[in-house]
Each structure stands twice: as structure tokens, then as C-alpha cells.
């Protein structure tokens, strides 16, 4: 009787087992080794290896060859003879195959029964499955065959003199420079399949590797990923191997917390995929987990047709207007529609400056000085008049209490862009710079030289202004009160303006010690206080005029009086308000990402709106410095909360001061370090530094209540104003529901009318998984209380590779498993699922435009300036291409 052995073997040039590429059927290559009947003269059995293609309903003979498993020379000789057999012998072999086919069918039927009993086929036609089939990519579609020339070039740069590429340089060669560990494991998996034991490969072997990892078929990618996990190449994955690949994926995606919990998550996967406790899982288990996991991408709402989506996409495609006049006209109309508030304010300001300059210029053309100094004196005096106006006006945009009161209590906010107060402040500073150049330049290069070189007859009308003795040099002008006061002002203003520029204020310039101290916020803050001296000198300079003696014609003090009084009053109110109502620190916590959160008691009468900010002072760091921070607590909370990111000297010292009085948090509480007050008011940590607050002040985000739908976008710490907003929306909606139940809605009708927001989309993009700890409690609270789905939250972690990348594939599997079983996201640790990489903002806008046709959507952004242009442009494009109107607002911080 024949002996039969069955084993799984490869199908193709590269050995692999498991599902093949044809969808809808499952195919395995199965090898049967048959021995010839033993006789008395035979001590050993001779084997013939027959490879079959076993499908769901058919069995086909793939090949027949002698086995090379045994090194017996007789067997080797038999194999050679088989290749040289005559047609008669070949026919005999075929007859033997036919006689054994019934036996093969029986075996294959038993295999199919066993497979059907233990495996549940995955339907690859489902939409979620089709989406998952696009995943598990080692190389993007565009980097496949077309990417080989670049890989080949890098091979030439990285290979040794002998033409070999070492394992440590494999990742850099194929474009995985940032994931060296992951690339190393991929190298090992590919080498194991080819029985390569060396640490280096040739170019031909690299090309073979590249062809496999750039294969776009899902089954090929699944096999490659399976081989990475199956380190002993036994076709099975145990819990230890799962743990290692989880740790590797977490490291590649910079998820330290997930890496620490690799053992726990490996156990979760084994429980899910190995319910019979066999101690291992196979490739079809991995396939089922991947294909049945829901995709992370947010799709277009069900209420919108695909045709409408396509029409919107078509209308967004840029089409160039051939007529340049019409093109210019269209752009102008769009610009005015989007910026009409800024346009009329700038037009009014420029008109006033031009009118003042013209008025003074014409006035001095009628004076005796014009006959000596000519048009130069007219230019100098015209510029001086605009300087007086701008030096007064520049104080008003930074009178925060005044502007906050105006935007909250009046309707001027509808026509005045209060959100651009700091930008307007900077524009006025540019106007002052131009005025100084014209005024000082005309005097120094034109007026004074003409006066010095004037003839005695020409100088005689000037004696009443400059004295009987004609000036003979520049020193005469410089040493006088008009001269030294003007020069001193120019020097101080030059210092303040320079240190206020973005390069110095944000520390973008690296200067050697000790000059590095003139960069950063501190240098900006203290140098701006030089304007106290500047304003004093300006009043003095305006009083000691050369060509004007009557006091009522010396108008400098008239321009400055009201703005200086308003500004000084504001600073006095800030000082008194912060000290009369001291605050008590209720909670301090230090979070990953260098973030400090403070919760303090709310002073009596401190009323604010979500989205506003307040100033914080800590005398232990600096008794004079006040820094603005968005309020993260909701108006209904009984405390005030801020989250402070360590970005400069002051915030770094503040974090250090509070870290010294904190300690490790107790079980169940968040933060790296923490300190709280007891409910009875006694402090666990008695030596908190003293903190003063001042505010609240208006900000762009506070206007969210004007919109029924809002899109809130925060980058990193830029999420702070929106945390307060989403809490406020939930609280207001709960209040409306309570009023409806109690029948008190009519009494609170005014509140309901002013609060229009009914839908909010919150997108938070951050680089680090630790950032999600900052607002974990808030996000969990919203997920639990928002039963109506008012707020749609999307967290994005950019350190994780995009959806579909093989480096994040296992993270996505874990995320789906853990969220389905425990309701907690593995990345953020909250009930809100985290998306990977960066959002596609065009898709986000498109989805909102389709879901909210005919509505106004307020877009509020807080974060780095890099994203501002893209978000604003999308708002403009979709407003023009659809019936949905997007109004963009940027937070200044």
C-alpha cells in the first residue's frame, strides 16, 4: 500500500501559502508525497512529490517531480532518470497519476470540509471590505515599478564596494528612512522566504524584494505582512510574535503608550482570533481581522447624492477666464465680498492720513519757511501731522477692555473687524515708520542744509524762529531740545519695532551669547515699554517746535490726550482688578508635550464667553509680565481653566515652578505630575505660587454663536478655545431641553435666540499621542452626554502613518478591536476614535457643503499660520461653488 504525506507548499516563484489573488475563491497549493511499495530488497522508500491546486470545488495537478527531501544518491539518480524517460514511461507515469486521482479527490474533500468548518469566508464585495483591500501598502501605487529607478540610484549610493546593500541601509534605500526598525523586520521577512541568511543583498535580490513589496495585490501584501510577524516561518503566529510586531508598529508610529501595553493588546488579538485556545493564528485569521475592520475615513453623508458630489467637484476645478478685464473684475468682486470690513477700515484710515498730509502740506506752502526750505518743509510737516494721528490711533486696538465691551454690547462688530485688531496695530506701526522716514529725512537731508546755506537776505524771515544768528552746522539742530528729543525717539522706536518683528519675537534668529537674550517674547515685552518714554518725548518734542510758537497750534497733545487716558485707565483697571480679587489655585497638572494646566477659582463678577481669553501673571516667575491664554472651561463651570504650552522662557519657568510643588498623580487621575485642593478647601500642597488673572477679553472664536453650524479646527495647543466652545454648546442644548420639559422655554427665549449653534464639527490635529491626555476627561464627557450627536469630534495623530500604510495596519486592527470590545481608543485613550496622519481638508469642506446646503458655516481656526492659507482658500472656493457659505475666522495667538 502507498504511504501518503501532505504538506503546504508554495505557488509561484516566491514560496508562500494562503489566499491567492483571485477574488471569490480560496486556493491552496498542496503537496502529496507518495512512496513506492516496499519490498524485501528495499530498505528505504522512494518518494515522488506531486503538487496540486486545491480550490473550493476543483482539484488540479500542478506538477509531478521527485522529492529532494532525502539526500539518498539513488533517489537523486531516480529524479534524473525521470527527466529523461521516454514517451512510454511518461504515459506510465500519467496512468499512475490517473489511478491516484480518486485518492486525491478524497483527500481534498476532507481538507475542504475541515476548512469550511473552521473558516468563515470574508465577503470582499462589501464596501467596508473594498475599502480595507486598499490598505496594507508597503509602497504607494505611484512608487511601484516607476519608483525602481530611484531605489536603484540609492542602491548605488548606499551599497558597499563589493556591490552589496547591508540590512541597516535597506530602509533608507526603499524610502523608509524614518522607520529603520520596521524596514529591518521587512528585510528579514523577505530574506527568510528566499532562504537568504546573509546581512547583505545584491542589486538583483533587492529588485526581487522591491517587486514583492510593491505588488499591489492585497493577497501578496497580506502574505508579506504575515511573514514579518511569523519569524520562525512555521505558518503560524503565536502570542509572543504578535507582541513583537505590535511593539514594532508602535515604535514606528511613535506611540510609546501603546508600546508599553503591547502584551495586553497581543492577548486581546489572540482572544479574538484564537477562540479555541490553540495558541496560534494563521494567515486567514489575519485576513479576516483586516477585511472586517471598519475603515476610518469619513464618507459623504447618506442624504447627498453622488451626482451632486461630482457636480461640486467639477465646479471647484479652476477654469481660467480668457478675457483679462473680466478676470480682474471677477477677482476684485470676490475680494471685496470676502474682505469688505477690512477694505473700508483701511480705506478710511488711508483717507484720513492723506487728508492730514495734504492739509499741512498746503498750509506750509503759504508760510515764509517755504521760500527758504521749499517743498521739503511741507513734506516734513505733512508727515508730522500723520505721525501725531497714528501715534494716537495705535493705542486703541490694544485697549482690550474697550474693544471687548464694544464688540459685546454694540452692533459695531458687524461692520468693524475686531478680530484683526493686532493686524491693524501692526499696519499703523508701518504707517508710523513711513511718517518718521519722511519727517526726519526731509529735515535732515533737505530743510537743515538749505537753512544752513541760505543767504543772509533769505534767512532774515527765519530769525523769529531760529534766532538772529544763522545756524552754521548740524550740531546746532541736534543739541537743541527739538533735535535730541527727535533722535532719541527714533532710536527707541527702532529698537522696539525691531524686537517686535516675528524674527525676534518668536526667536527665529539664532544669535550668539549674550546677544541671544534680545530674542524671544521677553525682549519684545520689555522693549515695548520704551514707548512710555517715547510718548513723553513726543509731547515734549511737539511743544518745542521751531516754526510754531502759539500753544493752541501745538496740537500733539490734543491728538494723544484721549487715547493715552483710555490706555492708562485700562492698565490701571487691570492692576486693580487682578489684585482686589485674588484667585485660589484648585488644580495643577503637568501633561505630556510640556503642557501645564491650571484651574483657579472664578472671581466674583467674572463673566465670560467661550472662546475668550485672559491674562495670567505669576510673580514667582516675573512680577511684571502678563501672558494671554485661552479659557478652556465653560461659562457654566465654577472654575477657570487654562492650558499652557511650554514655548518660551516665561512658560518654561512657569512649568518648572509648578512642577516643584506637584507630585505623581494618584490612581485614576491624569497627568505626569499633579496637585489638587480638597473639597473642603484645604490644600494638599500648601506652597502654590501666587497667580493673578486679568480678563476676559474678546477673541474671534467667541462669535461662534452666530452660526447654526461651526467647524472648529485646532492644531496642537490651538484646541484650547474650542474645548470651551464644545462644552458650552452641550450645556446650552441641555438647558434648552430642560426648559422644554419644565415649560420655561418662553422665559429663556432671548437666550435661545442668541444661541444659534445646533451642529459642531471639531477637528483636533496633534503630533503626539500624549497630547490627548490634556482633554481626555472633556472628550469622554462629551461622548457620554452628547446623545443627539450634536458634536462630531475627529482626533488626528500625525505621528501615525496614514490609513492603508503597512506600518499602521496593525494599529488600525487593534483600534477597531479594542474600541468594539472596550469602547476606548488605543491611541488617545478616550472614547473618540483617532484618525491617522493629516485630514484631507478639501474632503472635509466638501462633506459639510453637501450636508448643510444653503446654510452659513463658521470656520474657526487656532494654530500655526502654515494651515491658515489652505483653510481660508477652501472656505472661499466652496462658498463660490456651492450654496453653502463658509466664513473663516483665525485666532491670533
Amino acid at each position: 500500500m502507498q504511504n501518503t504525506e501532505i504538506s503546504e507548499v508554495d505557488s509561484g516563484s516566491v514560496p508562500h501559502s494562503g489566499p491567492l489573488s483571485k477574488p471569490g475563491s480560496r486556493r491552496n497549493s498542496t503537496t502529496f508525497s507518495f512512496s513506492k511499495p516496499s519490498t524485501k530488497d528495499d530498505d528505504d522508500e522512494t518518494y515522488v512529490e506531486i503538487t496540486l491546486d486545491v480550490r473550493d470545488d476543483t482539484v488540479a495537478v500542478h506538477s509531478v517531480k521527485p522529492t529532494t527531501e532525502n539526500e539518498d544518491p539513488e533517489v537523486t539518480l531516480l529524479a534524473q532518470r525521470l527527466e529523461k524517460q521516454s514517451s512510454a514511461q511518461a504515459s506510465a507515469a500519467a496512468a499512475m497519476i490517473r489511478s491516484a486521482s480518486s485518492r486525491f479527490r478524497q483527500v481534498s474533500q476532507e481538507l475542504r470540509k475541515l476548512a469550511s468548518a473552521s473558516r468563515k469566508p470574508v465577503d470582499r464585495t462589501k464596501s467596508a471590505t473594498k475599502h480595507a483591500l486598499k490598505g496594507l501598502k508597503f509602497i504607494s501605487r505611484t512608487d511601484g515599478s516607476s519608483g525602481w529607478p530611484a531605489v536603484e540610484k540609492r542602491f548605488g549610493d548606499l551599497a558597499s564596494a563589493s556591490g552589496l546593500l547591508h540590512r541597516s541601509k535597506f530602509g533608507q534605500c526603499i524610502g523608509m528612512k524614518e522607520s529603520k526598525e520596521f524596514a529591518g523586520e521587512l528585510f528579514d521577512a523577505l530574506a527568510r522566504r528566499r532562504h537568504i541568511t546573509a546581512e547583505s543583498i545584491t542589486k538583483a535580490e533587492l529588485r526581487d524584494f522591491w517587486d514583492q513589496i510593491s505588488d499591489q495585490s492585497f493577497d501578496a501584501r497580506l502574505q508579506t505582512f504575515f511573514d514579518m510577524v511569523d519569524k520562525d516561518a512555521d505558518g503560524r503566529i503565536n502570542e509572543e510574535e504578535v507582541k513583537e510586531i505590535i511593539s514594532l508598529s508602535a515604535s514606528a508610529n511613535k506611540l510609546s503608550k501603546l508600546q508599553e501595553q503591547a502584551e495586553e493588546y497581543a492577548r486581546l488579538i489572540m482572544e479574538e482570533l484564537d477562540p479555541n485556545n490553540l495558541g496560534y493564528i494563521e494567515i486567514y485569521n489575519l485576513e479576516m481581522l483586516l477585511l472586517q475592520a471598519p475603515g476610518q475615513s469619513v464618507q459623504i453623508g447618506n442624504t447627498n447624492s453622488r451626482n451632486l458630489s461630482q457636480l461640486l467637484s467639477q465646479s471647484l476645478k479652476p477654469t481660467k477666464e480668457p478675457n483679462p478685464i473680466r478676470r480682474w473684475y471677477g477677482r476684485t468682486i470676490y475680494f471685496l465680498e470676502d474682505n469688505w470690513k477690512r477694505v473700508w477700515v483701511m480705506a478710511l484710515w488711508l483717507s484720513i492720513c492723506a487728508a492730514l498730509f495734504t492739509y499741512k502740506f498746503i498750509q506750509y506752502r503759504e508760510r515764509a519757511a517755504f521760500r527758504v526750505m521749499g517743498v521739503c518743509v511741507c513734506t516734513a510737516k505733512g508727515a508730522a501731522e500723520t505721525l501725531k494721528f497714528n501715534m494716537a490711533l495705535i493705542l486703541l486696538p490694544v485697549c482690550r477692555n474697550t474693544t471687548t465691551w464694544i464688540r459685546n454690547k454694540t452692533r459695531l462688530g458687524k461692520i468693524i473687524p475686531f478680530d484683526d485688531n493686532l493686524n491693524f496695530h501692526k499696519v499703523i506701526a508701518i504707517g508710523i515708520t513711513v511718517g518718521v522716514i519722511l519727517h526726519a529725512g526731509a529735515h535732515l537731508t533737505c530743510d537743515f542744509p538749505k537753512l544752513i546755506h541760505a543767504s543772509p537776505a533769505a534767512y532774515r524771515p527765519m530769525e523769529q524762529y531760529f534766532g538772529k544768528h544763522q545756524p552754521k552746522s548740524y550740531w546746532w539742530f541736534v543739541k537743541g531740545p527739538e533735535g535730541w528729543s527727535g533722535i532719541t525717539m527714533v532710536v527707541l522706536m527702532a529698537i522696539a519695532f525691531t524686537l517686535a518683528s516675528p524674527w525676534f519675537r518668536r526667536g527665529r534668529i539664532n544669535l550668539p551669547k549674550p546677544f541671544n537674550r534680545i530674542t524671544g517674547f521677553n525682549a519684545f515685552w520689555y522693549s515695548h515699554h520704551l514707548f512710555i518714554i517715547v510718548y513723553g518725548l513726543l509731547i515734549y518734542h511737539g511743544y518745542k517746535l521751531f516754526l510754531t510758537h502759539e500753544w493752541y497750534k501745538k496740537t500733539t497733545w490734543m491728538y494723544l490726550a484721549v487715547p493715552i487716558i483710555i490706555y492708562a485707565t485700562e492698565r490701571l483697571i487691570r492692576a486693580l482688578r487682578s489684585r482686589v480679587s485674588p484667585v485660589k489655585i484648585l488644580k495643577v497638572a503637568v501633561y505630556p508635550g510640556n503642557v501645564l494646566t491650571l484651574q483657579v477659582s472664578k472671581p466674583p463678577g467674572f463673566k465670560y464667553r467661550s472662546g475668550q481669553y485672559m491674562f495670567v501673571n505669576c510673580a514667582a516667575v516675573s512680577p511684571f509680565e502678563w501672558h494671554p491664554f485661552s479659557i478652556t472651561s465653560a461659562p457654566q463651570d465654577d472654575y477657570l481653566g487654562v492650558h499652557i504650552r511650554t514655548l518660551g522662557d516665561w512658560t518654561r519657568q512657569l512649568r518648572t515652578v509648578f512642577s516643584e510643588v506637584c507630585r505623581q498623580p494618584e490612581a485614576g487621575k491624569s497627568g505626569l505630575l499633579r496637585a489638587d485642593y480638597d473639597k473642603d478647601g484645604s490644600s494638599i500642597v500648601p506652597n502654590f505660587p501666587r497667580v493673578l488673572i486679568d480678563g476676559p477679553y474678546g477673541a474671534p472664536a467667541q462669535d461662534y454663536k452666530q452660526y447654526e453650524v461651526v467647524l472648529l479646527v485646532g492644531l496642537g495647543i490651538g484646541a484650547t478655545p474650542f474645548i470651551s466652545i464644545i462644552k458650552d454648546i452641550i450645556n446650552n442644548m441641555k438647558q434648552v431641553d430642560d426648559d422644554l420639559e419644565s415649560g420655561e422655554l418662553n422665559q429663556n427665549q432671548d437666550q435661545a435666540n442668541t444661541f444659534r449653534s445646533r451642529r459642531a464639527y471639531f477637528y483636533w490635529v496633534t503630533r503626539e499621542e500624549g497630547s490627548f491626555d490634556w482633554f481626555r476627561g472633556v472628550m469622554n464627557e462629551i461622548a457620554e452626554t452628547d446623545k443627539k450627536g450634536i458634536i462630531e469630534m475627529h482626533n488626528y495623530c500625525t505621528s501615525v502613518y496614514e490609513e492603508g500604510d503597512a506600518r499602521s495596519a496593525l494599529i488600525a486592527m487593534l483600534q477597531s478591536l479594542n474600541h468594539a470590545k472596550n469602547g476606548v481608543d488605543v491611541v488617545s485613550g478616550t472614547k473618540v476614535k483617532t484618525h491617522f496622519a493629516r485630514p484631507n481638508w478639501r474632503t472635509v469642506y466638501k462633506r459639510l457643503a453637501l450636508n448643510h446646503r444653503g446654510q452659513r458655516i463658521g470656520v474657526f481656526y487656532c494654530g500655526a499660520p502654515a494651515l491658515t492659507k489652505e483653510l481660508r482658500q477652501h472656505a472661499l472656493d466652496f462658498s463660490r461653488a456651492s450654496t453653502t457659505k463658509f466664513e473663516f475666522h483665525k485666532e491670533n495667538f
Side-chain angles (χ1 to χ4, degrees), residues 371-660:
R371 290 188 290 273
V372 178
M373 293 176 277
V375 73
C376 298
V377 70
C378 300
T379 302
K381 290 302 180 178
E385 200 68 15
T386 64
L387 273 173
K388 290 184 282 187
F389 169 69
N390 285 326
M391 287 295 289
L393 184 64
I394 199 171
L395 294 174
L396 298 181
V398 291
C399 292
R400 295 182 176 87
N401 285 301
T402 303
T403 55
T404 300
W405 183 87
I406 292 174
R407 71 185 297 169
N408 289 346
K409 302 295 183 181
T410 69
R411 296 183 178 272
L412 291 177
K414 294 184 177 181
I415 60 173
I416 299 177
F418 286 107
D419 295 345
D420 293 321
N421 62 323
L422 292 181
N423 292 330
F424 189 49
H425 178 78
K426 296 172 185 177
V427 168
I428 298 172
I430 295 174
I432 291 173
T433 303
V434 173
V436 168
I437 292 173
L438 289 176
H439 180 73
H443 275 322
L444 295 176
T445 63
C446 187
D447 290 345
F448 296 162
K450 285 187 175 182
L451 195 62
I452 292 172
H453 298 96
S455 63
Y459 178 75
R460 190 168 294 108
M462 297 292 102
E463 290 180 355
Q464 57 177 323
Y465 304 117
F466 298 99
K468 292 183 179 182
H469 302 286
Q470 183 177 357
K472 300 299 181 182
S473 67
Y474 272 106
W475 178 245
W476 188 93
F477 297 99
V478 171
K479 69 179 181 179
E482 302 89 343
W484 67 260
S485 62
I487 293 174
T488 304
M489 280 192 293
V490 171
V491 172
L492 294 179
M493 290 167 69
I495 294 172
F497 285 1
T498 302
L499 298 184
S501 65
W503 300 279
F504 283 89
R505 181 182 179 183
R506 298 188 180 275
R508 296 175 184 171
I509 296 179
N510 294 321
L511 298 177
K513 293 183 178 180
F515 300 104
N516 61 335
R517 299 181 66 86
I518 66 174
T519 62
F521 185 85
N522 285 348
F524 155 76
W525 175 259
Y526 289 114
S527 65
H528 248 54
H529 285 77
L530 293 174
F531 277 99
I532 299 175
I533 302 174
V534 169
Y535 276 98
L537 291 174
L538 180 60
I539 295 174
Y540 178 75
H541 183 82
Y543 186 76
K544 293 287 185 176
L545 293 177
F546 283 122
L547 301 176
T548 303
H549 292 161
E550 297 86 352
W551 70 269
Y552 55 88
K553 292 183 180 181
K554 300 177 180 181
T555 58
T556 303
W557 66 272
M558 300 179 188
Y559 278 98
L560 299 177
V562 174
I564 287 180
I565 290 174
I566 294 174
Y567 185 78
T569 303
E570 287 222 353
R571 295 299 295 263
L572 181 63
I573 291 174
R574 175 186 298 182
L576 294 176
R577 184 168 55 190
S578 61
R579 285 164 173 78
V580 170
S581 301
V583 295
K584 180 192 295 182
I585 298 178
L586 303 178
K587 187 186 87 170
V588 178
V590 179
Y591 289 107
N594 294 322
V595 168
L596 171 72
T597 180
L598 296 177
Q599 288 186 6
V600 300
S601 60
K602 185 187 295 186
F606 192 99
K607 296 181 180 180
Y608 66 97
R609 299 180 181 183
S610 290
Q612 293 185 332
Y613 66 95
M614 66 182 184
F615 280 83
V616 177
N617 170 273
C618 181
V621 177
S622 173
F624 305 109
E625 291 184 48
W626 292 80
H627 292 262
F629 300 99
S630 297
I631 303 173
T632 52
S633 55
Q636 297 85 351
D637 294 334
D638 57 357
Y639 63 89
L640 297 173
V642 292
H643 286 68
I644 302 171
R645 180 79 179 266
T646 301
L647 294 174
D649 298 337
W650 188 88
T651 52
R652 189 178 300 111
Q653 294 176 27
L654 185 72
R655 182 181 184 276
T656 301
V657 166
F658 278 100
S659 296
E660 293 174 354

Side-chain angles (χ1 to χ4, degrees), residues 660-793:
E660 293 174 354
V661 297
C662 293
R663 59 185 180 182
Q664 296 292 333
E666 300 176 1
K669 293 189 175 182
S670 60
L672 301 174
L673 298 170
R674 189 181 179 101
D676 301 81
Y677 269 78
D678 284 336
K679 292 182 179 179
D680 60 1
S682 61
S683 174
I684 300 174
V685 182
N687 296 321
F688 274 131
R690 186 187 181 195
V691 170
L692 304 176
I693 65 170
D694 175 55
Y697 294 107
Q702 76 175 60
D703 295 329
Y704 76 95
K705 291 185 178 181
Q706 300 176 7
Y707 304 92
E708 291 187 3
V709 182
V710 292
L711 171 61
L712 312 173
V713 180
L715 259 61
I717 198 63
T720 49
F722 307 133
I723 293 297
S724 176
I725 288 175
I726 59 178
K727 290 173 66 178
D728 190 34
I729 292 175
I730 291 294
N731 291 336
N732 277 277
M733 295 304 296
K734 288 166 62 177
Q735 181 65 42
V736 171
D737 292 341
D738 293 342
D739 291 342
L740 284 172
E741 293 179 3
S742 61
E744 298 178 0
L745 183 62
N746 292 332
Q747 299 177 11
N748 298 328
Q749 193 67 38
D750 292 340
Q751 179 181 352
N753 290 336
T754 57
F755 189 86
R756 298 181 180 178
S757 303
R758 295 295 181 268
R759 195 80 166 90
Y761 298 86
F762 176 45
Y763 284 78
W764 184 18
V765 184
T766 181
R767 289 194 301 264
E768 306 165 349
E769 62 168 340
S771 303
F772 296 114
D773 287 348
W774 308 345
F775 308 115
R776 180 187 299 175
V778 175
M779 287 188 288
N780 285 335
E781 179 185 356
I782 292 171
E784 292 174 358
T785 58
D786 186 18
K787 304 300 182 183
K788 295 183 178 180
I790 299 169
I791 298 174
E792 189 176 291
M793 293 188 292

Side-chain angles (χ1 to χ4, degrees), residues 136-333:
L136 207 62
K137 293 181 291 188
F138 295 89
I139 301 296
S140 66
R141 182 175 296 273
T142 56
D143 289 340
S145 59
S146 62
W148 169 248
V151 176
E152 188 177 23
K153 182 179 183 302
R154 288 193 291 264
F155 177 88
D157 298 335
L158 299 172
S160 62
S162 57
L164 296 176
L165 179 72
H166 194 267
R167 176 183 183 274
S168 61
K169 299 179 180 179
F170 178 69
Q172 184 177 355
C173 187
I174 67 172
M176 284 190 181
K177 183 169 58 175
E178 298 179 354
S179 307
K180 291 185 178 181
E181 292 183 18
F182 190 90
E185 292 295 333
L186 178 59
F187 177 95
D188 294 341
L190 297 169
R192 277 196 300 270
R193 272 291 175 182
R194 292 157 179 79
H195 307 291
I196 298 175
T197 58
E199 290 285 310
S200 301
I201 56 175
T202 64
K203 183 190 289 188
E205 290 170 331
L206 176 64
R207 180 59 193 260
D208 194 18
F209 283 17
W210 179 260
D211 288 341
Q212 183 171 343
I213 62 178
S214 61
D215 192 334
Q216 295 299 317
S217 67
F218 174 75
D219 291 319
R221 288 180 269 132
L222 176 63
Q223 183 64 57
T224 304
F225 187 76
F226 184 86
D227 290 342
M228 288 185 63
V229 187
D230 184 21
K231 294 190 176 183
D232 55 8
D234 62 350
R236 297 171 176 176
I237 304 175
N238 57 40
E239 186 172 333
E240 185 62 29
E241 289 173 328
V242 174
K243 175 185 173 183
E244 289 182 18
I245 195 64
I246 290 175
S247 180
L248 179 66
S249 298
S251 175
N253 291 279
K254 301 176 183 177
L255 301 176
S256 56
K257 290 185 178 180
L258 194 147
Q259 193 172 3
E260 294 171 0
Q261 297 175 288
E263 184 174 354
E264 175 188 342
Y265 291 129
R267 195 179 308 117
L268 175 66
I269 288 180
M270 296 302 293
E271 289 175 0
E272 179 70 18
L273 301 184
D274 181 26
N276 297 325
N277 295 322
L278 299 176
Y280 63 87
I281 57 177
E282 296 181 273
I283 191 169
Y284 74 90
N285 301 115
L286 198 62
E287 178 191 15
M288 181 176 62
L289 176 63
L290 180 66
L291 295 185
Q292 291 183 351
Q296 293 198 33
S297 298
V298 178
Q299 304 297 327
I300 300 297
N302 296 329
T303 59
N304 304 283
S305 66
R306 182 172 298 180
N307 291 336
L308 184 59
S309 176
Q310 292 176 351
L311 286 174
L312 181 57
S313 299
Q314 289 292 331
S315 63
L316 287 168
K317 292 181 179 179
T319 55
K320 188 174 182 179
E321 169 63 47
N323 190 320
I325 297 177
R326 289 182 178 179
R327 186 165 62 244
W328 176 85
Y329 176 77
R331 290 177 180 175
T332 303
I333 294 299

